[in-house]
Amino acid sequence: MPPLDESKQPKTAAEARDLLGRVIIAEQDLGPQVVRSTPFESDPGRWPVLDEACVWQTEGLPDDVLATSTRHFHIPAKDGRGRVRINATVTVHHNREQSGWETARAMEEVLRCPDQKLREGEDLKSLWGGAFYLGEQLNGWTEDAFSESGEYVSAQDGGPYPYTWSQAQFGPVTMAISAKAGQGVTRDDLTAFVAQGTSVMMIQAKQELGKAAG
């Protein structure tokens, strides 16, 4: 892993938004069957927060976040398999310490709320997670790795179906992919998309923020 070049870290919200655009994936990075959802991109001035009742809300950006963006994709239902929903999120903090705290909060949230409500009619159930630092449990590619798995239940799509989420970190940047299965879609299917998405974003983050070789 190339070391972080701290001189390349964004210092303003505008610089952070510019970096986001060069790190976050597009649909073609995940495969030819993946298409954009509507809406495609989240409000860049809003931030998801898990409240005391384990319900996800959105608030304004906290002080430690320069910029964040979430893109929404899906694989349409076809040939007896239900729709797969995939989200990609990149968040830029002021420094590595703040991005590390984001990963720590993610671990705390899954311990506090193994059942979570995404929105009315959409729930996550039986969540469990694990965090691994660089060098632990075959983690040789990210400073901090966090993964979460469970089940997704939707009033529209049914369920429970497999759900998985993975987050990686490089310097001040965190990169995450979440995937929700539909009928006939396995957890291994989801894992492939999660691994592909996070690895592409990690490569792009290292290209933008890593020190040049030599």
Side-chain angles (χ1 to χ4, degrees):
M1 178 186 295
L4 176 70
D5 185 342
E6 295 188 2
S7 69
K8 295 181 179 179
Q9 291 187 147
K11 296 175 177 60
T12 66
E15 290 175 353
R17 287 193 295 269
D18 185 55
L19 177 64
L20 284 178
R22 299 197 300 273
V23 173
I24 198 166
I25 53 171
E27 60 273 19
Q28 60 265 27
D29 295 313
L30 291 167
Q33 71 273 51
V34 177
V35 298
R36 295 184 178 191
S37 298
T38 303
F40 173 52
E41 292 188 289
S42 64
D43 181 342
R46 305 294 290 175
W47 172 258
V49 176
L50 189 64
D51 69 16
E52 292 302 312
C54 299
V55 178
W56 284 99
Q57 313 283 353
T58 59
E59 298 179 354
L61 297 183
D63 291 341
D64 67 326
V65 172
L66 281 169
T68 188
S69 178
T70 296
R71 287 181 173 178
H72 307 278
F73 311 98
H74 69 278
I75 302 171
K78 184 180 180 181
D79 299 331
R81 286 161 60 97
R83 178 166 55 172
V84 177
R85 304 168 189 264
I86 304 170
N87 291 346
T89 301
V90 176
T91 301
V92 182
H93 296 265
H94 296 269
N95 53 51
R96 174 187 277 137
E97 182 181 19
Q98 290 176 346
S99 60
W101 273 111
E102 184 192 334
T103 303
R105 283 195 297 271
M107 188 69 204
E108 182 273 333
E109 286 168 350
V110 73
L111 292 171
R112 176 169 64 90
C113 295
D115 294 342
Q116 301 174 6
K117 179 174 286 294
L118 296 174
R119 58 187 62 82
E120 195 59 42
E122 286 191 81
D123 294 273
L124 301 177
K125 301 287 188 181
S126 305
L127 294 174
W128 60 274
F132 305 105
Y133 295 106
L134 183 64
E136 293 182 336
Q137 297 289 330
L138 304 179
N139 172 23
W141 62 286
T142 171
E143 296 170 34
D144 248 345
F146 177 79
S147 61
E148 176 181 284
S149 294
E151 295 180 326
Y152 170 66
V153 181
S154 162
Q156 178 182 355
D157 298 332
Y161 303 124
Y163 160 82
T164 188
W165 181 79
S166 179
Q167 180 168 290
Q169 175 196 3
F170 183 69
V173 182
T174 61
M175 298 142 276
I177 298 281
S178 69
K180 309 181 191 82
Q183 179 72 38
V185 180
T186 68
R187 191 170 302 281
D188 285 347
D189 294 332
L190 297 189
T191 300
F193 290 113
V194 168
Q196 173 71 8
T198 50
S199 63
V200 169
M201 291 194 291
M202 176 61 73
I203 289 168
Q204 292 173 172
K206 290 175 181 177
Q207 288 173 341
E208 296 295 332
L209 296 175
K211 288 184 177 178

